Amino acid sequence: MQENNSEYLFSSITMDLSWNTDVGETMAGFFQRLKAERRLYGTRCSNCLRVYLPPRPVCGNCWQQMNDWVELGEQGTIVGKTVCYYEILDSMTGKPRTTPFVLGLIQIDGADTTLNHFVETPDPDHVSIGDRVETVLRDTLQGNVGDIVHFQWLGPPTTSSQGSKK
Amino acid sequence: MKARPVAIVGTGQTRHRKARPDVHQGEMVQEAVNLALLDADLSWDDIDAIVLTNMELFEGRALPDLWCSEFAGGLGKPVMKVATGGTSGTSGAIAGLLQAASGLFDTVLVVGWEKHSEGSTQTGMSLTDPAWDRHIAAGAIGNFALSISQYVAERGVTGEQAAMVAVKARRNGALNPNAHVKDAGITVEKVLASPMLAEPVHLLDMCPQSDGAAALIVVGGDKTRRYKNPAWFRGSATRHDQPYIGDHDKRMVMMRTLRSAAQEVYRKVGIGDPFKEIDIAEIYEPVSYAELAWYEALGFCAEGDAGKLIESGATQIGGDLPVNPSGGVLCSNPVGATGVIRVAEAARQLHLKAGDYQVDGARRALVSGYGVYTWSDVLFFSAERP
Ligand SMILES: [Zn+2]
């Protein structure tokens, strides 16, 4: 290993490539329902009753085909959170996101799994586990995951905003 | 079918660094392979089969198995590549060990590598499910921090306790010439004063991204006889779990892949009290907090006692159960090689060749691999022939 030689050559390449990924029957069902009703839907396992969001064709825990669609709430609860200070690129635009931003693990009312997503809030330092959030969809839905813009922070739970506990 | 005893008899590693602009991937692979052959006192002709481990998405070059096999000495030999995420290296090691144990091959070479300096790690990490994950990809650090927030809420571990893991790692790394990050003078205060990346994770809580390669030589049958201190393979287990990170309830607390793989290995090799019966562990800790969570998942302490365990000093070199005496992933992380390094470091302890970080009386070594929460590998080695 030659640690002192700074004259190494390298080949620099930037690629612009495209792919078209088939999202599958179940995810298509989710996006179609989202677009038609502005509602999130999950799939429920008839064996363990676990409700999956994102919806899946199969419950991995039971290896069970899931055919039941369940309408989910518009709000959810933060079950994990962090305030990010490092610069990251938005995967969809390639542009840096402004910091700090809040990431949350969000359990939508009626779902058993959680989503990791961006939490929009005026005060990142006051977001806590247990706080409530509301789903914000874009105005004109396109039928893809970009339709969920972020989750708006609502604050600590009150009796009126408390989700139905299963 | 009864598997025959096999052992690791040679290891080789590059000096893991932030960047190795002096070599390309294949040259780096060859460096590690030559060192492993030298360590095992074998030549190219002795190798019957080769297992490669690499995650090409970080370098953006397809089919690394095609163009790097030559540098591993693959011409005319069976070569395959194993990739299971962060677990790639441990999964590749398991594959090589089982190939030899099956009797198919007497001498198997396992080599893993990564050259993070060639690409953008975040780009690689963002190439997840395009229908769902990619839109919200925020890099590994944010995802770690989300899980850590749940672990902290559940167990009450403190930033100081996590920083003690980072301090232990970098001080151990200072004893290891191959380690990328070394800092003999690091303190808890310095970790806590380092920039906050994603609450509560500071810069010095995180693993680096490294360039590096690591190789193992596995032998079975009569070939084991000439070696004085082989690292005997006693058992392994692999677990897969559901793919979306939100599928796992309190994933860092539960860590069901690692928990379940460890239980299977302990049952197979007859370990009742891991803390007492294991002499040294090389575990895959991508972030300081994860090491604490893995102490619990691996049964090194009671649930919720990981903070006390790190405070006790028992996991330092000289303690009852040194964890990552090599400095671990917090000091060197060329991802495709990282799991191979864990196995190599465990083997080096049993070979009594770990130099300044040799653990006295190391006879039983545990290894774990981590592929996000969806893959775990656990391997167990001993100085005693099975
Ligand atoms: Zn189920």
Side-chain angles (χ1 to χ4, degrees):
Chain A
M1 180 174 175
Q2 308 157 43
E3 303 227 36
N4 299 319
N5 186 347
S6 59
E7 299 301 314
Y8 301 116
L9 299 179
F10 60 93
S11 167
S12 189
I13 298 164
T14 304
M15 294 194 290
D16 195 354
L17 304 171
S18 29
W19 283 266
N20 294 299
T21 305
D22 298 320
V23 301
E25 225 178 347
T26 305
M27 205 64 97
F30 171 81
F31 290 133
Q32 282 153 5
R33 282 172 172 83
L34 176 63
K35 202 174 166 185
E37 303 176 37
R38 297 189 77 85
R39 300 287 297 190
L40 301 180
Y41 278 79
T43 48
R44 179 169 49 208
C45 173
S46 60
N47 187 51
C48 69
L49 304 180
R50 191 168 171 82
V51 175
Y52 286 83
L53 174 68
R56 312 284 272 291
V58 169
C59 172
N61 288 328
C62 306
W63 186 238
Q64 172 85 27
Q65 205 71 31
M66 295 191 284
N67 300 309
D68 296 342
W69 285 94
V70 181
E71 188 181 330
L72 305 174
E74 289 170 352
Q75 297 186 359
T77 301
I78 294 177
V79 299
K81 73 110 202 182
T82 182
V83 186
C84 296
Y85 297 91
Y86 62 97
E87 188 161 282
I88 61 155
L89 301 180
D90 184 319
S91 317
M92 304 306 280
T93 63
K95 299 204 168 65
R97 258 177 201 282
T98 43
T99 56
F101 58 92
V102 179
L103 281 182
L105 271 177
I106 293 147
Q107 187 163 24
I108 297 294
D109 296 341
D112 290 299
T113 61
T114 58
L115 300 179
N116 53 320
H117 218 294
F118 300 99
V119 174
E120 202 59 33
T121 171
D123 188 357
D125 292 334
H126 279 84
V127 178
S128 300
I129 290 176
D131 286 356
R132 299 284 293 165
V133 291
E134 188 163 61
T135 311
V136 176
L137 301 176
R138 66 178 151 204
D139 294 339
T140 310
L141 299 181
Q142 296 174 11
N144 59 50
V145 72
D147 287 345
I148 304 169
V149 182
H150 57 245
F151 289 85
Q152 182 65 45
W153 180 70
L154 299 174
T158 61
T159 32
S160 59
S161 69
Q162 186 75 55
S164 53
K165 284 270 173 282
K166 298 192 335 159
Chain B
M1 191 189 80
K2 183 90 173 74
R4 64 177 179 166
V6 295
I8 293 171
V9 298
T11 70
Q13 294 182 52
T14 57
R15 303 281 201 221
H16 312 305
R17 294 292 180 263
K18 183 181 173 63
R20 283 291 311 274
D22 55 321
V23 287
H24 71 36
Q25 291 184 51
E27 291 166 342
M28 205 173 67
V29 163
Q30 194 174 13
E31 235 178 77
V33 170
N34 281 336
L35 289 167
L37 287 170
L38 191 69
D39 190 36
D41 189 27
L42 294 176
S43 67
W44 177 47
D45 298 337
D46 296 312
I47 303 299
D48 300 319
I50 299 173
V51 180
L52 306 175
T53 79
N54 168 263
M55 287 179 68
E56 66 251 44
L57 48 82
F58 293 122
E59 292 89 357
R61 178 155 182 177
L63 295 174
D65 29 339
L66 173 73
W67 77 281
C68 283
S69 293
E70 186 177 29
F71 298 95
L75 194 113
K77 297 180 182 186
V79 184
M80 69 174 191
K81 189 188 114 182
V82 173
T84 59
T87 16
S88 295
T90 43
S91 298
I94 290 171
L97 287 157
L98 295 182
Q99 281 187 341
S102 73
L104 267 177
F105 304 111
D106 282 338
T107 306
V108 182
L109 166 70
V110 179
V111 54
W113 74 98
E114 208 73 65
K115 223 163 183 301
H116 280 275
S117 69
E118 291 190 353
S120 154
T121 301
Q122 197 205 328
T123 306
M125 299 293 284
S126 300
L127 294 176
T128 52
D129 174 13
W132 190 268
D133 274 340
R134 221 175 279 189
H135 179 71
I136 46 178
I141 302 163
N143 283 333
F144 281 133
L146 284 176
S147 310
I148 288 166
S149 74
Q150 292 184 300
Y151 178 63
V152 166
E154 191 88 5
R155 300 295 200 226
V157 299
T158 64
E160 284 78 10
Q161 288 167 334
M164 291 172 91
V165 172
V167 167
K168 168 175 74 67
R170 275 50 178 268
R171 287 184 182 171
N172 290 351
L175 304 172
N176 177 0
N178 295 329
H180 164 185
V181 179
K182 315 156 193 274
D183 189 348
I186 194 173
T187 59
V188 165
E189 293 69 31
K190 188 174 167 186
V191 176
L192 295 175
S194 67
M196 183 70 88
L197 298 179
E199 202 186 49
V201 180
H202 293 268
L203 179 65
L204 292 177
D205 283 310
M206 279 303 299
C207 61
Q209 297 159 4
S210 318
D211 284 7
L216 310 167
I217 310 277
V218 182
V219 298
D222 293 342
K223 306 272 181 177
T224 56
R225 291 212 181 123
R226 54 185 284 233
Y227 296 98
K228 213 169 115 210
N229 297 308
W232 292 101
F233 175 54
R234 305 304 297 260
S236 67
T238 292
R239 288 288 184 280
H240 176 61
D241 208 338
Q242 294 175 294
Y244 293 98
I245 55 181
D247 288 338
H248 308 227
D249 286 331
K250 297 179 184 166
R251 53 196 170 168
M252 188 174 269
V253 185
M254 306 304 292
M255 195 47 181
R256 65 182 188 177
T257 50
L258 184 60
R259 211 169 278 273
S260 166
Q263 287 309 315
E264 181 181 329
V265 168
Y266 296 158
R267 187 173 44 74
K268 275 181 182 166
V269 302
I271 287 178
D273 183 341
F275 181 74
K276 287 211 177 89
E277 295 171 49
I278 296 168
D279 299 325
I280 167 260
E282 279 284 343
I283 67 174
Y284 198 126
E285 87 305 10
V287 53
S288 59
Y289 287 87
E291 178 162 324
L292 298 173
W294 302 173
Y295 287 170
E296 299 177 24
L298 290 166
F300 292 175
C301 62
E303 304 292 346
D305 281 355
K308 278 190 239 163
L309 182 57
I310 186 71
E311 282 177 352
S312 76
T315 54
Q316 294 174 12
I317 297 170
D320 287 334
L321 173 50
V323 175
N324 294 1
S326 68
V329 186
L330 288 178
C331 293
S332 308
N333 189 31
V335 171
T338 300
V340 180
I341 296 171
R342 303 277 68 68
V343 177
E345 292 296 351
R348 278 160 63 89
Q349 291 287 345
L350 302 186
H351 295 164
L352 308 178
K353 288 180 179 176
D356 291 342
Y357 56 98
Q358 179 67 48
V359 170
D360 289 340
R363 294 187 58 79
R364 286 167 295 186
L366 188 86
V367 168
S368 79
Y370 165 84
V372 199
Y373 299 83
T374 61
W375 249 297
S376 282
D377 289 324
V378 174
L379 302 87
F380 188 71
F381 296 90
S382 77
E384 193 187 329
R385 194 178 193 277

